[in-house]
Amino acid sequence: MSDKQTPLGALVTAGAGQTDAEVITDTIFMVKDISNAYLVTTSDGDLLVNTGFIGNGERNKALFAPHRTGPLKRIILTQSHADHYGALPEQREDGTRVIAGAGFTETAEYFDTLAPFLGRRSGKLWASMTRRSGPPPAPPKIVPDIDVTDVETFEQGGRNFEVHNTPGGETLCAVFIWLPEERTIFTGNLFGPVWRAMPNLVTIRGDRPRLVRAYLKSLDAVRALEPELVITGHGEPIRGADRIRADLDAMRAAVTHIERETIAGMNAGKTVHELMREITLPADGQIGEFHGKASWVVRAIWEENAGWFHYADGTTALYGVPRTAVDADLAELAGPPALVARAKAHVAASKPLEALHLVDIALSVEPADADALGVRKAALERLAAISGGSNLSETMWLKAEIADADARLSTGLAAG
């Protein structure tokens, strides 16, 4: 698989080598991190919007230092993912007040409670991207001074700020920050990490699901303000009221289309897998699929409305014995060589998913079989080529699976 970065991957690593904060306006400065941190200066001290990732506090503080104008009065956190608040302790000063959305502490506790589980899953997806060889460091414990349940307004240095609770973003405690006189909005990852792109309502890493109606309501709240400058959690700001409005309209239309078609398909009796394959965006309504994908949004909407039990899975889905429990029986009846041969034919026919189903059955009884592992790697590589490598989570998953097949092949060959 190519080492070429996805658009989101390029944003995540954009801060490498940064030697000075980037100037957005005369009073707003950006430090690029896994998620960006922003300094806003006023005639009565400064404030930060997000702080960057764990371990980067001193770096980010130093990059902002030449632009500081006074004490740090406030830090506003747009969500409870550690790449947004992990560098807070090194940058907080005496008297700094922390503002976050209602539920910030609860959501952080959720990640803490499930840290071993989520850490293993995140490690598989993100370790190479964040240049780690193991689990991420534990995030700091942050207790906000102000929990925003609706709208929190304040004035600082003659500038008005509004912090709006928007639980439709990447966490259920998300907020955006609106500067009304300047028509400027900080959205964090309300619309995902890449602008004008599909949301990721349920991540493959695992997270509490975001609901499609809450996402659309939050989008409408931003659109109604008619901003002229949008500053997101990643990448460069988006400028110009007309462009911003058009992009918001495109995102809304795309997600609304998927919701409408998914509900229609459910009512027509189609399965979730049929709809994941069939529902696409119209040619003139395409948006990016760098973090979320249309098919994943279909599944998220299905399960938001129907729950975890799919009638198409049948009776066994109600119990704790998965279909894979009979893989060994299937392999014994068919014979691993026959399964591998058929899987190889599927790869040749550009049907890598069918190939993976079969080869995984063979590997359940002969996990070190070199032929089966070779076909599995080939199927994964074909799937990666078909995917196009634009979606970061999909790309990182496939890279990890290919690396696992390589490692198992190497171990088997060494043992042989």
Side-chain angles (χ1 to χ4, degrees):
M1 184 178 234
S2 170
D3 289 330
K4 181 181 179 182
Q5 286 192 320
T6 66
L8 176 53
L11 291 180
V12 168
T13 59
Q18 186 176 11
T19 58
D20 190 12
E22 186 173 315
V23 178
I24 296 177
T25 72
D26 290 345
T27 58
I28 301 175
F29 305 88
M30 173 172 64
V31 165
K32 295 178 179 178
D33 201 333
I34 292 177
S35 284
N36 297 339
Y38 299 95
L39 171 70
V40 182
T41 62
T42 80
S43 61
D44 183 28
D46 303 333
L47 65 82
L48 290 179
V49 176
N50 295 328
T51 66
F53 192 53
I54 305 163
N56 292 343
E58 293 298 339
R59 166 199 179 261
N60 296 349
K61 183 177 180 179
L63 290 174
F64 281 136
H67 307 284
R68 292 291 305 275
T69 63
L72 187 64
K73 295 292 187 70
R74 294 174 172 88
I75 297 175
I76 307 174
L77 303 172
T78 60
Q79 65 188 82
S80 57
H81 285 167
D83 54 330
H84 295 259
Y85 74 87
L88 186 148
E90 298 92 334
Q91 297 178 84
R92 188 175 192 172
E93 299 173 0
D94 291 341
T96 301
R97 293 176 65 76
V98 177
I99 302 173
F104 180 95
T105 301
E106 178 187 355
T107 305
E109 288 174 350
Y110 157 81
F111 284 109
D112 186 52
T113 300
L114 279 173
F117 172 78
L118 294 174
R120 289 192 297 271
R121 294 162 71 95
S122 295
K124 179 166 184 171
L125 291 169
W126 298 100
S128 63
M129 180 62 62
T130 55
R131 296 174 177 82
R132 294 193 309 264
S133 58
K141 303 290 186 184
I142 305 299
V143 178
D145 297 293
I146 298 174
D147 293 311
V148 180
T149 58
D150 185 18
V151 181
E152 178 78 16
T153 63
F154 62 89
E155 181 271 340
Q156 183 173 325
R159 302 173 73 179
N160 292 310
F161 296 82
E162 300 177 5
V163 184
H164 291 244
N165 180 270
T166 51
E170 282 206 340
T171 67
L172 302 182
C173 62
V175 299
F176 68 69
I177 301 95
W178 172 238
L179 283 63
E181 288 82 11
E182 298 156 57
R183 318 303 301 171
T184 294
I185 191 166
F186 293 85
T187 59
N189 282 12
L190 177 60
F191 305 117
V194 184
W195 178 252
R196 202 182 185 278
M198 192 68 63
N200 204 358
L201 298 177
V202 181
T203 68
I204 66 175
R205 173 207 65 221
D207 202 338
R208 287 180 171 172
R210 308 111 192 200
L211 307 182
V212 66
R213 286 276 129 192
Y215 167 85
L216 291 171
K217 182 179 179 180
S218 297
L219 187 152
D220 287 343
V222 172
R223 188 172 62 162
L225 295 173
E226 299 184 345
E228 297 175 4
L229 176 63
V230 174
I231 301 172
T232 69
H234 301 266
E236 299 298 325
I238 300 90
R239 301 177 187 270
D242 290 344
R243 181 206 165 174
I244 291 166
R245 178 73 182 212
D247 288 349
L248 290 170
D249 287 348
M251 289 188 282
R252 194 184 201 290
V255 174
T256 300
H257 171 82
I258 293 173
E259 182 190 32
R260 181 178 61 249
E261 293 300 309
T262 301
I263 297 300
M266 293 172 73
N267 286 331
K270 293 193 173 184
T271 69
V272 65
H273 290 106
E274 287 176 319
L275 296 179
M276 288 176 71
R277 294 193 302 270
E278 294 173 5
I279 295 176
T280 59
L281 294 176
D284 61 353
Q286 296 292 315
I287 61 175
E289 297 190 49
F290 310 119
H291 190 43
K293 294 184 65 174
S295 58
W296 298 352
V297 172
V298 168
R299 184 157 193 158
I301 292 171
W302 175 289
E303 296 191 355
E304 175 185 334
N305 288 281
W308 58 267
F309 181 58
H310 302 267
Y311 278 30
D313 293 339
T315 300
T316 57
L318 293 171
Y319 302 93
V321 180
R323 203 263 331 137
T324 55
V326 298
D327 278 359
D329 297 302
L330 294 172
E332 180 182 347
L333 291 168
L339 292 168
V340 173
R342 181 61 60 87
K344 187 178 293 185
H346 280 318
V347 173
S350 290
K351 298 168 69 176
L353 293 170
E354 290 84 347
L356 287 171
H357 281 308
L358 290 173
V359 81
D360 284 347
I361 294 172
L363 287 167
S364 72
V365 293
E366 295 185 12
D369 181 79
D371 287 340
L373 288 169
V375 173
R376 190 172 200 278
K377 180 182 176 183
L380 291 164
E381 290 174 335
R382 181 61 61 88
L383 187 58
I386 293 170
S387 75
S390 62
N391 183 280
L392 182 57
S393 291
E394 179 184 30
T395 298
M396 298 307 288
W397 173 267
L398 293 173
K399 281 185 175 181
E401 287 285 275
I402 291 167
D404 176 72
D406 270 333
R408 291 167 67 182
L409 276 166
S410 298
T411 300
L413 291 172

